[in-house]
Amino acid sequence: MLKGKNLIYPTDFTAEQLEDLFCLADRIIARPDQYAHSCSGKILATLFFEPSTRTRLSFEAAMERLGGKVLGFADSASSSATKGESIADTIRMISCYADIAAIRHPAEGAAHVAALHSFIPVINAGDGGHQHPTQTLTDLYTIRAKKGRFHNLTVGLCGDLKYGRTVHSLIHAMCRYESIHFVLISPPELQAPDYVIREIEAASGCSYSVNPDLDSAIRQVDILYMTRVQRERFASQEEYLRLKDSYILDIQKMKNAKEDMVVLHPMPIVNEITGAVDEDSRACYFVQAQYGMYVRMALILRLLGAEEEGGPTICGGRMFEKTCQNPRPNGTIHCQNPKCVSNLDLTLPIRVKDGGKVCEYCDAAIEE
């Protein structure tokens, strides 16, 4: 059962729970009318402190198609964050009005903070350059539909591997499967963070290689996961302009790829894939986006514990009594990631994660 759980990391669900979720998505696609009233009387809060098109609208479409309602905001300027309200207080208030919440925030670890203080299920819809688990569910569902397996695959990840939260989440999720080889395709300035590399190295069934040349890398991959270079993650416009055209997938490159290769992209596409590639049967990014709505429908149903037969479930009374976190101990522990939520909200404590010297919120190194 997933009822009442949060989804902050892509590995918050077991492989068995993921398969159950994907089977539910299969049934929703086959029989959408059966689920049209499953969330009647329920409310989804979309808390988007950062711009989004596909993720926000797919969440809203998912809840509407399940018969529920949506409230929320599409940018931080529309929220009390502009007045200085903390993430913890925002989610506490939202818990009074909604049954489930999806949060996107530029600070890494923000969704984790929200989950610590929420009285309703919280879904991480993207936290800075850290994680994007619902996109990962979409990616996995598409891989399952197109390749029929999660093992014995060579996965090429191309573009912005440093700030690309979708890349980080996908690696995080796929490290649980056997015989996965990641080909990391990026310029030196946009290489994957150390904590992502450490995770691949620690996974018994996974390996990786670094190949900055897309022309040669494309010949060996079963899946090519393209990403855009993200303007909003760069402190310097000059650096962004220098790197934005590092990789462009075109018809000529596609000629060198396997006949059954699958091209994925979390969207939006800027100029890293030419329009002509859209017509190639191996280009699966538009159906991938459509799958995202159905996967989010299944996720909402499972987290709310809604009945598949179509009837709404009754939420039990919420207990608005959570133990407050202890304050940061005299500033003696610091996260080295300037984009970590703990460095934006100094009331948050820093704790060592899993006994290692990494930040609980963003997985970056910490120092004492």
Side-chain angles (χ1 to χ4, degrees):
M1 284 291 292
L2 297 178
K3 182 178 179 181
K5 281 180 65 71
N6 304 304
L7 177 62
I8 307 303
Y9 288 88
T11 52
D12 283 345
F13 299 163
T14 66
E16 292 76 17
Q17 289 171 332
L18 283 180
E19 183 58 26
D20 172 73
L21 191 75
F22 295 154
C23 287
L24 177 55
D26 291 340
R27 297 195 292 274
I28 292 171
I29 291 172
R31 295 287 305 276
D33 292 347
Q34 183 177 342
Y35 302 88
H37 305 288
S38 296
C39 286
S40 178
K42 302 293 185 183
I43 296 175
L44 165 71
T46 53
L47 315 178
F48 278 67
F49 294 84
E50 190 176 53
S52 170
T53 302
R54 273 147 302 279
T55 302
R56 181 174 62 84
L57 294 183
S58 67
F59 266 115
E60 293 181 358
M63 193 57 163
E64 294 278 354
R65 288 180 181 273
L66 291 170
K69 296 183 178 180
V70 180
L71 57 80
F73 49 85
D75 65 80
S76 60
S78 303
S79 76
S80 290
T82 58
K83 304 174 185 177
E85 184 176 65
S86 68
I87 296 169
D89 283 354
T90 296
I91 197 66
R92 285 189 184 109
M93 292 301 99
I94 291 299
S95 294
C96 298
Y97 315 135
D99 301 285
I100 188 170
I103 179 171
R104 169 168 287 191
H105 200 286
E108 298 172 10
H112 181 75
V113 173
L116 288 174
H117 297 275
S118 180
F119 311 107
I120 59 177
V122 172
I123 301 170
N124 182 0
D127 59 331
H130 188 217
Q131 300 284 342
H132 195 345
T134 62
Q135 180 62 50
T136 299
L137 296 186
T138 301
D139 300 339
L140 291 175
Y141 187 80
T142 309
I143 292 169
R144 176 180 177 270
K146 298 300 179 181
K147 303 300 289 186
R149 66 186 191 277
F150 294 129
H151 62 277
N152 193 29
L153 292 169
T154 299
V155 182
L157 301 153
C158 180
D160 182 359
L161 309 188
K162 180 178 181 179
Y163 301 114
R165 58 192 172 200
T166 60
V167 169
H168 303 165
S169 284
L170 185 58
I171 291 174
H172 192 53
M174 295 203 76
C175 275
R176 295 191 295 184
Y177 299 103
E178 293 296 323
S179 300
I180 301 295
H181 181 73
F182 298 104
V183 182
L184 307 180
I185 311 162
S186 72
E189 297 89 344
L190 296 177
Q191 289 180 348
D194 289 343
Y195 80 86
V196 173
I197 298 299
R198 287 196 303 268
E199 186 161 13
I200 299 173
E201 292 174 338
S204 60
C206 296
S207 59
Y208 77 97
S209 58
V210 175
N211 186 349
D213 181 24
L214 178 57
D215 290 289
S216 64
I218 199 172
R219 299 173 186 270
Q220 66 180 112
V221 301
D222 301 302
I223 297 163
L224 178 61
Y225 196 89
M226 294 293 296
T227 67
R228 69 186 172 94
V229 176
Q230 302 173 87
R231 181 196 302 266
E232 64 271 25
R233 305 295 176 210
F234 284 82
S236 164
Q237 176 74 356
E238 181 180 354
E239 185 181 15
Y240 165 74
L241 292 174
R242 181 171 59 84
L243 295 172
K244 72 181 183 71
D245 294 328
S246 296
Y247 300 102
I248 298 177
L249 181 63
D250 56 23
I251 288 295
Q252 189 58 44
K253 291 185 178 68
M254 291 293 288
K255 290 179 180 178
N256 296 323
K258 296 179 181 180
E259 291 185 2
D260 63 345
M261 183 192 71
V262 172
V263 182
L264 302 180
H265 195 299
M267 312 287 264
I269 296 170
V270 181
N271 65 335
E272 61 277 3
I273 300 178
T274 63
V277 175
D278 296 350
E279 306 304 317
D280 193 302
S281 61
R282 294 168 292 183
C284 298
Y285 30 84
F286 289 113
V287 71
Q288 176 188 4
Q290 186 177 23
Y291 282 153
M293 179 184 70
Y294 294 113
V295 169
R296 289 178 175 101
M297 289 174 72
L299 177 64
I300 290 168
L301 283 172
R302 283 292 183 252
L303 294 183
L304 287 178
E307 297 295 332
E308 289 191 26
E309 287 74 16
T313 57
I314 305 301
C315 263
R318 301 191 188 99
M319 298 297 294
F320 291 87
E321 297 178 4
K322 279 210 171 185
T323 304
C324 292
Q325 301 290 328
N326 292 325
R328 184 191 298 264
N330 301 320
T332 56
I333 304 177
H334 303 276
C335 178
Q336 296 175 347
N337 177 9
K339 295 184 179 180
C340 178
V341 65
S342 65
N343 289 316
L344 300 179
D345 183 348
L346 298 181
T347 66
L348 292 172
I350 287 292
R351 291 188 294 273
V352 174
K353 180 179 179 181
D354 299 330
K357 293 186 176 180
V358 294
C359 174
E360 179 182 0
Y361 304 114
C362 75
D363 294 304
I366 63 172
E367 60 181 19
E368 300 189 35

